[in-house]
Amino acid sequence: MTSPIANWSPENQERANKILATYPEKRSAIMPLLYLASLEHNHASNEAMCQVAELIGITPSQVRSVSTFYTMFKQEPVGKYLVSVCTSISCHLLGGNEVFDSVSDAAGVGHNQTTEDGQISVEHVECIGACGGAPAVQVNYELIEGVTPDKARALVEWLTQTTPAVVLADEMQQLFGGQRSFDWGPAEHAGAIAPVPAFGPYGSAGGDQ
Amino acid sequence: MTTQILTARMEAHPSDSHTIERYLDTGGYATLKKTVASSKREDIVEQVKASNIRGRGGAGFPMGMKWGFLAASDPKYLVVNADESEPGTFKDRQLLERDPHQLIEGIAIASFALGVNRAFVYIRGEYSKPARRLQRAVEEAHEAGYLGENIAGSGFSLDVTVHLGAGAYICGEETALLNSIEGRRGEPRLKPPFPAVEGLYARPTIVNNVESLSNVPWIVANGGEAYAAIGPERSAGTRMFSLSGHVKKPGNYEIVMGMSWRDLIYGIGGGIRDDNELKTWIPGGASSPWLIPEHLDTAITIDGVVEFGTMLGSGAVVVMDETTDVVAAAHSIVRFFAHESCGQCTPCREGTKWLQDILERIMAGNGRPEDVDLLLDVSDNISPGLVWPPAMTTICPLGPSATAPIISITKYFLDEVNAAIEGRQAAVV
Ligand SMILES: Cc1cc2nc3c(=O)[nH]c(=O)nc-3n(C[C@H](O)[C@H](O)[C@H](O)COP(=O)(O)O)c2cc1C
Ligand code: SF4
Ligand code: FES
């Protein structure tokens, strides 16, 4: 019997095994494994869900029922860069809707849509905990605060033109951000390599760290 | 006024307050070492009880009392709530990014006191950077012997697992959070049983907020009484407030409760942008009913604001100036709750959608004369009597929270709502 994840990268296979060994009950590994599977498949695809189900020993429909509950497990393919614009109350008060319109216009696609070349997906999201630096935007869950409609447009153009392999919050903040919720402290050199949160150690996702 | 418990280190050492070197250098982990070497578990629980600290996650439940409820049978778990998703709230993110070891020391001392050997930190998935910082800190603490087997030679062992959520506000509700860690849909459980008796994997479990636990090292180092002496009687200690919206100086501020709203908004917050007039503010996150300028000179205390039909909730203060369209602001909040409803309870699932639809048609200029009554009717269906704290007919308080903006705009801005319904006024924001 070959492993259900024999076609994953060796690194992600190792992470998956580590995750499975982490929890008192195997089922707790569903969410981290769904992130890893999304990294391998771009989104929580059917195949991804079947693989996770087999690893844990439950049915694919049980995995689907969990996967569809959470907005960060994408049921459809997403672009290389997922641009999430907050339109909750604090951002709403300071122009979050205009920032969203600007992102959407620059990318040429609306909420939950992806550009034809597969580069950019756009979504408006609820509060991302950056309300003191409203309006806030994330690219692959890396944060930029104090974004204006103009800067938002420039951000989308920059992503399209420079296609960075790793998106870094500090770099984007410097280029396209303004007011922050608080001082972030020293620059960080880890960032996201895909539209999955860059949190490596327990293998939830990739990232440069 | 200037008492700082949580933010002293990050303010004094902005470039490296998150590292273990700086933490140790500023006295960090000394309390843990002393505690595991020579304290009795019950004594630590007593100190936390004596401190009178109330949970900072929203409900304000006394922390020591909760710890006292933990059932005795092993294994037990400690679960740290770092799901921070209440619109307006960003304080836990700062504590996670800028002083993760303070939290870890709090987790370790709490675990020792509770007889827990396994803790989980549930961080919302969008917080990738805070999760990285915390994970790094956990590894540093492990290497230095403050986590893992036989901590500081005491025989006490503790493992901490950082677990990422995946975009669901409802997972901040403690029982939904436990379901989520178990690999299930994040749906709140009916209580009782309470987590302290039957929580994670049906084992006794304590769930505490990031800020609550970050206070524990100070409380144990300085004694519960010293903590209780800070601030007004039933609102002991300092508290992180997240200030946002139309203030000149948004940010997180650690203040001693009892200060007036005026001092917070005009003093610390620097006043209103462009020196505009203050119209209203949300005192405790999107779930809380709003306050208006006549409340400016009242004191900020957990129980005091109840008199005005609201709550301090998560400590998120969202300020709105005179240019704010309150119908659009209420809509943003109602839409949030409609989006985040887990769908288990009909009044919440259907009611929040209704409220959203009604507000949307008003904003589109298609308001109907009966819409105010309808908004209140639907709200009353979700939360009978529209009292605060709400009467609960739903499994969790999310449904009732969606009525907070409706209560607020109909109570304080009825003319404006009616004007919007009659199409007399275009949207401002
Ligand atoms: C809908 C909902 C969302 C919540 N979100 C959070 C949250 O993000 N963080 C948090 O600490 N508590 C949140 N809570 C409160 C928790 O249920 C729980 O009371 C808290 O984590 C207990 O910790 P504490 O006693 O230290 O405050 C939420 C409650 C509800 C009903
Ligand atoms: S009140 Fe709403 S969010 Fe809470 S359990 Fe019921 S349906 Fe779910
Ligand atoms: S409201 Fe936009 S980040 Fe909180």
Side-chain angles (χ1 to χ4, degrees):
Chain A
M1 272 277 286
T2 52
S3 155
I5 53 169
N7 59 351
W8 287 17
S9 72
E11 191 196 8
N12 284 343
Q13 288 187 45
E14 198 189 310
R15 287 166 158 177
N17 290 328
K18 205 170 141 196
I19 291 168
L20 284 163
T22 294
Y23 297 92
E25 291 184 13
K26 244 180 165 183
R27 189 175 170 136
S28 288
I30 285 194
M31 290 173 65
L33 287 176
L34 275 171
Y35 275 136
L36 262 192
S38 302
L39 201 57
E40 286 283 337
H41 294 272
N42 166 284
H43 65 290
S45 65
N46 269 332
E47 198 188 343
M49 288 193 265
C50 291
Q51 289 169 335
V52 170
E54 210 177 320
L55 283 173
I56 294 180
I58 56 179
T59 67
S61 70
Q62 284 174 308
V63 174
R64 179 183 313 278
S65 139
V66 173
S67 172
T68 52
F69 186 84
Y70 299 93
T71 55
M72 288 172 67
F73 298 132
K74 302 297 181 192
Q75 306 301 309
E76 300 289 328
V78 275
K80 186 169 178 190
Y81 307 107
L82 172 63
V83 184
S84 315
V85 182
C86 177
T87 52
S88 278
I89 185 66
S90 306
C91 292
H92 161 89
L93 290 171
L94 290 165
N97 298 302
E98 290 71 26
V99 169
F100 175 81
D101 290 344
S102 184
V103 164
S104 168
D105 190 58
V109 294
H111 173 61
N112 273 345
Q113 291 179 345
T114 303
T115 56
E116 240 162 61
D117 62 5
Q119 289 292 300
I120 312 258
S121 289
V122 174
E123 61 177 2
H124 58 72
V125 292
E126 300 297 350
C127 181
I128 46 180
C131 332
V137 173
Q138 287 189 324
V139 178
N140 294 351
Y141 308 107
E142 297 298 314
L143 180 64
I144 319 158
E145 297 181 287
V147 182
T148 62
D150 284 349
K151 286 283 174 81
R153 174 176 298 280
L155 166 67
V156 173
E157 285 164 2
W158 177 79
L159 288 170
T160 314
Q161 279 155 20
T162 63
T163 61
V166 181
V167 294
L168 299 167
D170 290 289
E171 180 183 21
M172 294 189 295
Q173 176 68 32
Q174 195 132 47
L175 290 171
F176 309 107
Q179 167 83 42
R180 295 186 296 183
S181 296
F182 53 86
D183 180 4
W184 292 354
E188 196 195 31
H189 303 291
I193 57 169
V196 175
F199 176 67
Y202 280 93
S204 298
D208 169 36
Q209 52 177 339
Chain B
M1 260 294 297
T2 53
T3 308
Q4 278 185 312
I5 291 175
L6 299 167
T7 54
R9 186 175 299 99
M10 63 181 82
E11 212 155 276
H13 305 284
S15 66
D16 61 2
S17 60
H18 61 291
T19 63
I20 193 162
E21 291 79 14
R22 180 58 72 195
Y23 194 67
L24 290 170
D25 177 55
T26 46
Y29 288 120
T31 311
L32 173 64
K33 267 207 280 197
K34 201 169 145 213
T35 301
V36 295
S38 58
S39 297
K40 285 223 270 310
R41 283 172 44 190
E42 312 78 67
D43 293 346
I44 303 296
V45 176
E46 282 313 311
Q47 289 302 321
V48 172
K49 279 187 183 158
S51 77
N52 288 340
I53 184 172
R54 294 168 68 175
R56 305 300 196 223
F61 194 82
M63 184 147 85
M65 194 191 290
K66 188 192 285 187
W67 289 14
F69 290 151
L70 186 64
S73 80
D74 289 324
K76 313 186 263 278
Y77 297 107
L78 173 66
V79 173
V80 184
N81 193 338
D83 195 51
E84 188 165 70
S85 313
E86 172 88 9
T89 319
F90 50 100
K91 66 186 177 72
D92 294 340
R93 182 163 70 90
Q94 183 162 349
L95 295 172
L96 290 161
E97 282 186 26
R98 307 304 311 281
D99 208 338
H101 286 285
Q102 177 172 258
L103 173 62
I104 293 170
E105 186 171 12
I107 294 170
I109 295 171
S111 297
F112 172 80
L114 298 166
V116 160
N117 303 111
R118 189 72 195 266
F120 294 88
V121 185
Y122 188 96
I123 302 196
R124 62 178 303 186
E126 296 87 344
Y127 276 11
S128 40
K129 177 177 182 177
R132 289 196 290 268
R133 276 268 167 94
L134 182 66
Q135 180 61 36
R136 177 81 201 101
V138 165
E139 284 160 13
E140 286 175 337
H142 235 278
E143 282 157 26
Y146 298 111
L147 288 179
E149 296 285 312
N150 193 18
I151 292 171
S154 66
F156 169 64
S157 302
L158 174 67
D159 270 323
V160 176
T161 301
V162 180
H163 185 93
L164 241 59
Y169 163 71
I170 191 59
C171 289
E173 194 283 330
E174 57 189 12
T175 59
L177 189 158
L178 298 176
N179 275 339
S180 186
I181 298 183
E182 289 181 7
R184 301 175 196 285
R185 296 163 68 86
E187 288 164 350
R189 302 174 181 171
L190 273 168
K191 293 191 258 195
F194 288 93
V197 176
E198 205 177 310
L200 186 62
Y201 309 120
R203 303 300 313 164
T205 303
I206 291 293
V207 182
N208 271 133
N209 168 262
V210 167
E211 182 185 343
S212 310
L213 286 163
S214 294
N215 278 296
V216 168
W218 194 97
I219 292 172
V220 174
N222 297 275
E225 275 178 30
Y227 191 88
I230 303 169
E233 202 180 335
R234 287 182 39 81
S235 292
T238 66
R239 182 149 181 176
M240 298 285 284
F241 279 87
S242 299
L243 206 52
S244 71
H246 297 147
V247 279
K248 285 184 184 160
K249 294 195 288 186
N252 288 318
Y253 299 99
E254 181 180 7
I255 67 163
V256 175
M257 284 183 273
M259 151 188 287
S260 73
W261 290 105
R262 186 183 301 283
D263 285 344
L264 179 63
I265 295 172
Y266 284 92
I268 291 173
I272 311 302
R273 66 160 182 193
D274 305 329
D275 290 322
N276 283 348
E277 292 295 324
L278 170 65
K279 185 168 189 171
T280 180
W281 72 95
I282 304 174
S287 297
S288 62
W290 310 353
L291 294 174
I292 52 169
E294 69 175 60
H295 301 119
L296 269 176
D297 294 306
T298 62
I300 304 174
T301 61
I302 300 178
D303 300 321
V305 297
V306 174
E307 193 184 320
F308 310 119
T310 185
M311 60 177 184
L312 289 190
S314 63
V317 179
V318 184
V319 174
M320 303 183 224
D321 74 8
E322 57 185 315
T323 69
T324 307
D325 174 345
V326 292
V327 175
H331 169 260
S332 168
I333 296 171
V334 165
R335 185 202 56 205
F336 170 80
F337 289 113
H339 183 256
E340 302 298 336
S341 167
C342 84
Q344 288 189 102
C345 320
T346 311
C348 171
R349 185 186 63 241
E350 304 293 325
T352 52
K353 283 271 177 297
W354 265 60
L355 294 176
Q356 181 182 348
D357 287 349
I358 299 165
L359 291 171
E360 275 170 15
R361 79 172 173 235
I362 295 174
M363 286 160 59
N366 301 320
R368 300 174 194 164
E370 69 273 18
D371 277 350
V372 167
D373 288 339
L374 201 53
L375 284 170
L376 289 170
D377 251 20
V378 175
S379 299
D380 192 77
N381 244 313
I382 305 174
S383 180
L386 294 183
V387 289
W388 208 270
M392 294 271 297
T393 57
T394 48
I395 295 174
C396 91
L398 184 145
S401 295
T403 67
I406 304 297
I407 294 174
S408 308
I409 61 172
T410 52
K411 181 162 154 194
Y412 298 127
F413 305 104
L414 190 58
D415 285 349
E416 191 177 328
V417 178
N418 278 321
I421 289 171
E422 290 157 26
R424 278 192 275 119
Q425 190 196 11
V428 186
V429 171

